[in-house]
């Protein structure tokens, strides 16, 4: 069983740069692939960014160049640094791992509005 807890969301002005965190349980964190998803009202959940055990990353086209995913294995945490936020980035952001199952966090709301 893996538990994921997201944090760092909130109300952000356009152009803001919040950082989301995904803290994970488990002794094998360093080999987890962790993926960030988001879901806006009325939309399907979509992949935002992912990071593998070797630090390899991938991003949705809509966030390339603005978002950066990283990991700190000592802290069992994956980060999503979001820059130049736009209103269309408003969503609930979730982290996920499929290590030994399919695990999701509870999500953290990010609202981009002036």
């Amino acid at each position: 069983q893996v538990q994921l807890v997201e944090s760092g969301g909130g109300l952000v002005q356009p152009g803001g740069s919040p950082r989301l965190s995904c803290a994970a349980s488990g002794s094998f964190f360093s080999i987890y692939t962790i993926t960030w998803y988001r879901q806006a009202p009325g939309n399907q959940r979509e992949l935002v960014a992912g990071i593998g055990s070797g630090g390899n990353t991938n991003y949705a086209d809509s966030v390339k160049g603005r978002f950066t995913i990283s990991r700190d294995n000592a802290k069992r945490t994956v980060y999503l640094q979001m820059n130049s936020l736009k209103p269309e980035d408003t969503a609930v952001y979730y982290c996920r791992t499929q290590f030994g199952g399919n695990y999701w966090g509870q999500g953290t709301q990010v609202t981009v509005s002036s």
Side-chain angles (χ1 to χ4, degrees):
Q1 187 81 8
V2 177
Q3 292 184 325
L4 302 172
V5 180
E6 302 94 337
S7 61
L11 178 62
V12 183
Q13 290 194 341
S17 300
R19 186 178 76 164
L20 304 184
S21 299
C22 171
S25 65
S27 303
F28 300 101
F29 175 81
S30 64
I31 63 174
Y32 297 173
T33 291
I34 301 286
T35 310
W36 282 98
Y37 287 76
R38 67 185 180 186
Q39 187 167 20
N43 289 359
Q44 290 187 333
R45 197 169 293 190
E46 62 175 0
L47 185 146
V48 175
I51 187 164
S53 58
N56 50 303
T57 59
N58 63 287
Y59 297 92
D61 288 343
S62 58
V63 306
K64 277 181 183 176
R66 299 190 299 123
F67 291 11
T68 301
I69 189 170
S70 62
R71 66 190 300 153
D72 184 335
N73 290 335
K75 295 183 178 179
R76 297 179 183 171
T77 300
V78 167
Y79 303 99
L80 185 67
Q81 177 67 50
M82 304 189 293
N83 297 326
S84 303
L85 280 183
K86 308 173 184 179
E88 51 263 43
D89 294 316
T90 295
V92 179
Y93 284 73
Y94 301 88
C95 59
R96 177 194 190 190
T97 186
Q98 293 179 284
F99 181 83
N102 187 22
Y103 303 101
W104 293 86
Q106 82 289 350
T108 185
Q109 175 71 48
V110 175
T111 301
V112 184
S113 174
S114 55

